[in-house]
Amino acid sequence: MSDSYLTFVNSPWGRRLAQAAGLPQPLPLQRHRSGQQSLVNPVIVAGAGRLMTQVQRVFSDTDTVAATPATLNAPSTVKVQGAVFDASGLVSLEQLDELYRFFYCNARRLGQHARVVVLGTAPEHCADLPQAVAQRALEGLVRSLAKELRRAITVQLLYVAPGAEDALDSSLRFFLSRRSAYVSGQVVRVHAPVDGHVTVNWDKPFAGRRALVTGASRGIGLAIAQVLARDGAHVICVDVPQAHDALQQAAGAVNGSALPLDITAPDAASLLQAHVSQYGAFDVVVHNAGITRDKTIVKMSESAWQSVLAVNLQAPLCLSNALLECEGLNPGGRIVCVSSISGIAGNLGQSNYATSKAGVIGLVQGLAPRAATQQVTVNAVAPGFIETQMTARIPLMIREAGRRMNSLSQGGQPIDVAETIGWLAHPASGGVNGQVVRVCGQSLLGA
Ligand SMILES: NC(=O)c1ccc[n+]([C@@H]2O[C@H](COP(=O)([O-])OP(=O)(O)OC[C@H]3O[C@@H](n4cnc5c(N)ncnc54)[C@H](O)[C@@H]3O)[C@@H](O)[C@H]2O)c1
């Protein structure tokens, strides 16, 4: 669905009017295009933590601008497309001033659509209280900058566990690329990978891998199938038998296979297990299928309650268990669930949906340590307002509010969720486990 306000304020006349009236002026986001260089460039790099070698390695083929004492202490106007501050070595509150100085002097250097990443050591891994406090303080800085910098600039904090330095690459590459256009203000923890060190083809990371995507015939599911297929996967597209034609079309479009299946059917788990015995285990499983049946609780029928929980929560739980039980995911496998910011914040008229999506977070957190014993990770994305048929059904005024109530002042596209899932499912993302990453432009809901 098109966002006419976004189009309007980016027309010459609309821009002038919005400026005069003090209205928000969101920039259309720049997203990754096939064939385009993945990392933003040039990037200014500063700080003095233990992660500088990894940062330099990721940027070995592109331009980095090392922050010199001059750029750290005097405002500069030379533009850059990104900034990385390695704060992993921060041990005292006084050292937080270094971040103040860096952003005070360099914020204006950041071009439109720039990517900013702060690297830290999670408080639970700190040696003493002052260090843990200083590291925790980074969250406030990052979330504020994500609100303040505007111009479609995104800002994230990556806490990297000691010893997990080599697991940082895939996350750094994602957050310093146009793939993360609608992800901002997020805090991600990177640990030692559950599946050890892997050799990665960064151009086609899923080459030779099999991915299962539920709800793949349209919307976000179709975009996920397209992204995984673009990056080399053979995608098995699942949707309800009633969506037969759209499902065949989707599977054809990604050179994948169609598997018509109602994921809530009593025999869904055994059918998937039989599929695994016949064709082999999966490398990626994305539980995307979801439904809404919105009503306030006093007007909600029991079937509306139960059907939402069945599709959104019971099916992912039951199918994940069944697949792990039959070793239906190869070592290095990835399960990615789709939660929602409603599951974090709650939402009027969505008690069934929010219950199911909060349950998905519980599923991810509870299953991740168990799946890790099979070298499989379990994570979730929590989308905010994404332009799909699901959100097109929302009444106009609520839809418009949903679009604007985030730091990027616009809704996301299915591709934004799909790219984030591509990062979580990436063979090099074995260090990201049990996490929920919001794809919501830093929505105010549940912030
Ligand atoms: N669109 C948003 O703004 C938004 C926000 C947060 C979360 N989400 C979540 O993202 C996911 C995809 O949403 P969407 O907007 O693309 O929805 P959509 O309604 O466009 O697509 C959902 C797909 O799931 C399929 N599906 C439903 N029940 C199924 C079942 N029992 N078995 C197999 N397939 C089934 C549908 O046929 C459909 O193709 C959902 O889990 C949704 O809750 C969406």
Side-chain angles (χ1 to χ4, degrees):
M1 175 149 226
S2 75
D3 180 344
S4 8
Y5 179 78
L6 186 67
T7 315
F8 173 69
V9 290
N10 283 288
S11 67
W13 191 74
R15 191 175 298 124
R16 275 201 301 277
L17 192 78
Q19 249 162 15
L23 295 169
Q25 289 182 275
L27 278 180
L29 301 183
Q30 283 183 0
R31 297 178 165 92
H32 177 75
R33 288 192 306 271
S34 288
Q36 190 184 40
Q37 190 195 16
S38 188
L39 291 163
V40 292
N41 185 26
V43 167
I44 185 165
V45 175
R50 62 195 154 80
L51 298 161
M52 280 308 225
T53 318
Q54 276 66 36
V55 176
Q56 298 294 357
R57 194 177 61 207
V58 164
F59 280 100
S60 56
D61 296 334
T62 51
D63 299 339
T64 51
V65 184
T68 59
T71 53
L72 280 177
N73 294 308
S76 166
T77 49
V78 183
K79 289 285 182 213
V80 290
Q81 284 308 309
V84 181
F85 192 104
D86 181 2
S88 59
L90 203 77
V91 292
S92 71
L93 296 188
E94 292 70 34
Q95 286 176 310
L96 284 168
D97 296 353
E98 292 169 22
L99 282 117
Y100 158 74
R101 280 195 292 274
F102 175 72
F103 286 107
Y104 177 79
C105 293
N106 290 287
R108 286 195 181 86
R109 295 182 73 177
L110 296 166
Q112 293 181 347
H113 310 279
R115 300 282 172 264
V116 177
V117 171
V118 175
L119 300 169
T121 302
E124 61 271 22
H125 293 129
C126 290
D128 57 29
L129 187 60
Q131 184 188 11
V133 172
Q135 289 289 339
R136 179 62 180 79
L138 295 176
E139 282 199 31
L141 171 75
V142 162
R143 293 192 208 280
S144 301
L145 291 176
K147 291 184 175 168
E148 226 172 73
L149 293 178
R150 300 180 177 274
R151 297 177 292 134
I153 297 170
T154 63
V155 190
Q156 334 284 343
L157 171 60
L158 305 184
Y159 280 134
V160 183
E165 292 79 10
D166 284 341
L168 176 63
D169 284 26
S170 74
S171 303
L172 207 51
R173 284 173 188 269
F174 173 66
F175 286 115
L176 290 169
S177 76
R178 301 271 183 249
R179 296 172 204 264
S180 52
Y182 198 58
V183 185
S184 197
Q186 296 304 290
V187 179
V188 173
R189 284 171 162 73
V190 179
H191 295 108
V194 301
D195 44 11
H197 182 73
V198 284
T199 313
V200 178
N201 170 351
W202 291 104
D203 291 330
K204 290 273 177 217
F206 298 110
R209 289 172 192 251
R210 282 161 45 78
L212 179 95
V213 180
T214 68
S217 71
R218 68 180 203 195
I220 295 172
L222 177 58
I224 298 166
Q226 286 166 334
V227 162
L228 296 177
R230 176 199 70 192
D231 292 348
H234 176 85
V235 184
I236 295 102
C237 300
V238 171
D239 214 302
V240 284
Q242 302 90 296
H244 178 270
D245 291 354
L247 180 63
Q248 294 296 338
Q249 215 177 342
V254 300
N255 279 329
S257 326
L259 178 59
L261 175 71
D262 180 342
I263 55 167
T264 64
D267 58 351
S270 54
L271 284 171
L272 264 195
Q273 287 179 327
H275 184 96
V276 168
S277 321
Q278 194 174 352
Y279 299 103
F282 300 110
D283 299 287
V284 177
V285 170
V286 184
H287 295 297
N288 161 76
I291 59 169
T292 51
R293 296 287 180 270
D294 295 357
K295 281 268 188 295
T296 54
I297 199 145
V298 288
K299 294 184 183 155
M300 188 182 292
S301 66
E302 197 164 338
S303 73
W305 171 268
Q306 286 174 347
S307 56
V308 168
L309 264 81
V311 178
N312 298 1
L313 181 56
Q314 275 158 9
L317 175 60
C318 165
L319 299 183
S320 300
N321 273 331
L323 286 172
L324 289 171
E325 211 173 82
C326 73
E327 298 190 347
L329 279 131
N330 289 316
R334 309 276 181 254
I335 296 175
V336 186
C337 299
V338 178
S339 178
S340 163
I341 57 166
S342 285
I344 297 170
N347 204 10
L348 195 155
Q350 288 201 314
S351 57
N352 50 358
Y353 185 74
T355 303
S356 71
K357 294 298 188 180
V360 166
I361 296 173
L363 160 61
V364 163
Q365 291 169 343
L367 194 58
R370 215 187 87 201
T373 62
Q374 294 184 27
Q375 300 185 37
V376 171
T377 62
V378 189
N379 293 287
V381 289
F385 185 98
I386 307 295
E387 307 279 357
T388 67
Q389 291 185 33
M390 190 183 260
T391 45
R393 286 198 299 269
I394 299 174
L396 179 70
M397 293 313 284
I398 303 176
R399 187 166 70 223
E400 193 49 25
R403 277 190 179 127
R404 303 294 156 228
M405 280 171 53
N406 60 74
S407 300
L408 299 169
S409 296
Q410 59 196 286
Q413 296 293 332
I415 185 81
D416 299 320
V417 182
E419 295 280 18
T420 309
I421 288 177
W423 155 60
L424 291 169
H426 198 283
S429 295
V432 183
N433 193 23
Q435 316 251 336
V436 179
V437 179
R438 297 167 57 137
V439 186
C440 63
Q442 200 184 27
S443 170
L444 295 178
L445 292 184

